[in-house]
Amino acid sequence: MTNNKTGQPPEAVIEVRGLCNRFGQHSVHENLDMDVRRGEILGVVGGSGSGKSVLLRSIVGLLRPSAGRVTMLHKELQTLTPAERAQLERRIGVLFQQGALFSSLTVLENIALPLIEHARLSRRDATHVAAVKLALTGLPASAGNLYPADLSGGMIKRAALARALALDPDILFLDEPTAGLDPIGAAAFDQLLLTLRDAFNLTVFMVTHDLDTLYTTCDRIAVLSQKKVLVADTLEVVAATQDDWIQEYFHGPRGRAAAVADALVRGTTPT
Amino acid sequence: MWEAVKCRYNAAMTHLPAQQDLVLQADASLHLQGDWTLPRYKLLSRASLEDAGVVRSLDASRLTGLDTAGAALLVKLLGAESLQRLAPTAIGLSEERRALLLAVASAMLARGAEPKARRWRLGDALADVGATVISGWHNLLQFLGFLGLTLLVLASLLPKPWRWRYTALVAQMQQAGLNAVPIVALLNFLVGAVVAFLGATVLAEFGATIYTVDLVGYAFMREMGVLLAAIMLAGRTASAYTAQIGSMKVNEEIDALRVQGLDPIELLVIPRVLALLIMLPILSFVAILAGMLGGAMVAVLSLDISPARFLGIVQEIPLKHLYLGMSKAPLFAVMIALIGCLEGFKVKGSAESVGEHTTSAVVQSIFVVILLDALAALFFMQMDW
């Protein structure tokens, strides 16, 4: 943790306690506990179907959990009045897996929408701020006037990130942010994430499969397996955990390659 | 109010009270103060510098907050290049904020020039008219091409009964035909009653109330039954076809079919066209019966014509009128189904496009149905049928 100067772990901005999610007979989470601390980048990994996206959806309130409690910024989303809830939702940004850009608006309008609706900026001001966010995510100015249908997969990801960042949220939720980006774009995304985190003390909850992103950006990694969080700790601790899936994940061919690459960059020996 | 007042500054003022957000000192150093964040963007954006070029250094020691909105404003005030030049040497700027300013400045420099928006010119209206005419012509050609393609696929399928898709056909028949029976019957029943009332009102003046039965009979057999059924299907089924095929197009399902060597026309269009071809004549017949039932109800209840008398008069109507009316049904069915499917294939990649083409499918098919009905009426009259 870069911002942990006192030695105490920073306060948790998201607390998940005893979360259960069931769909009919099928149970995805059983008694899941999890903390996300202020200013950290938490990577959430797990096999396909282990409920990573479901966890994200229950934290941001798109899914009412079957049981359990989710507290975000000391407030419990499911018990709030609509007004309080909208207030809280302004402080989070979500990047959906497929981008979920509004297809009837241009890219700039997509980003400007929350600025106009929530921050009550004029259209001109909102467009200017939106253009800056767009530039931050590495899209050229000419992309601003395109419609989402005209964008490539990687550009959609960037535009959606710019929209998630529109209101300078406290917590950023990312669902597979680097999937579909080319390696150069993915590396730039990692750097961007670190810059933003350092500048705003942003907390990031990131569902990812990109091992390079895990190595480069994440302060802690939470492994979702057997319907709960198996382990949530620094990369070294997680990678050393005795579990078949974790060993396969971090010490399989791709895991080793990412570790070597990371070690080369940092000038250390791979773990 | 006070906030608004204190934010009016300008570069010429050199010695200013400490509460200001942006102060240009005499030594050409720019002092940033207070929160440069999104909630205060409106207030901050009133700030202006007459000449950003004179700023030689940046002092941020009294800056209490900065986010990308604030950074965006600085880019607007100073320009990305000046900001990139000033940020590394700025006094009292924390490393994180320096990194943010530099990231924003370099991103703005890297993003390239803003594309110039074209202004509207007088000739544009004329060009729009031309474009509409040309696209109408292209639509017609496209429709004829699609019709030909469908007929070709249909002809190639005829000798291969093992490739006929009965399940898809029956499913479409149920959705487009069977499920539409109640609404088509109800609609025609009501219109039949209305026509009978109308006829009774006009004909009573001539003491010819009894001809109301003929009016309802002729109207529904020749025109109303098939027309109302076709309009109903144009609204109900053409839109469904467009939405179904359009969503598949958005989802790249059509492309997936093609690369697997499957013909979307054979799989999607043929069953839909055939389903309507079978069901619209049946629905038209239902519509005719329902319309005459509506007429009969009015005749019996308010015109004192007994059911037996009503049936007797109906029996005297030559059967050719029924055939003439029903002969239009297959034509309408093919047009409705093809327009619905073709509009679906025209959808391009977004939810909005699906909506646009669904609307267009309904409008086009209702227009075509009424146009063809009018042409058929003219033709039948000229032929003395």
Side-chain angles (χ1 to χ4, degrees), chain A residues 145-270:
Chain A
N145 293 324
L146 299 180
Y147 284 89
D150 306 325
L151 300 181
S152 71
M155 289 166 91
I156 288 178
K157 277 273 156 72
R158 285 161 190 258
L161 176 69
R163 187 181 66 183
L165 289 172
L167 291 171
D168 282 307
D170 293 345
I171 310 175
L172 187 60
F173 293 87
L174 309 172
D175 197 352
E176 307 248 3
T178 51
L181 293 187
D182 63 77
I184 300 168
F189 182 89
D190 294 346
Q191 281 314 312
L192 172 66
L193 201 58
L194 289 171
T195 307
L196 291 172
R197 193 272 305 269
D198 291 343
F200 311 132
N201 205 14
L202 193 67
T203 308
V204 181
F205 178 102
M206 172 163 56
V207 173
T208 188
H209 273 308
D210 189 331
L211 283 152
D212 291 311
T213 302
L214 282 182
Y215 274 94
T216 320
T217 60
C218 291
D219 302 304
R220 291 194 310 141
I221 291 169
V223 179
L224 234 61
S225 184
Q226 294 145 35
K227 299 176 185 179
K228 55 182 192 287
V229 175
L230 210 59
V231 51
D233 215 316
T234 58
L235 185 88
E236 290 76 22
V237 178
V238 172
T241 305
Q242 287 307 314
D243 176 85
D244 287 346
W245 190 85
I246 293 175
Q247 289 304 314
E248 182 85 31
Y249 189 88
F250 286 98
H251 302 291
R254 280 165 167 256
R256 279 202 306 275
V260 169
D262 182 59
L264 279 175
V265 171
R266 290 172 202 249
T268 56
T269 49

Side-chain angles (χ1 to χ4, degrees), chain B residues 207-229:
Chain B
T209 317
I210 195 71
Y211 284 104
T212 301
V213 181
D214 290 275
L215 178 69
V216 172
Y218 279 93
F220 272 86
M221 284 185 188
R222 269 186 90 113
E223 297 289 342
M224 302 292 273
V226 63
L227 189 64
L228 287 175

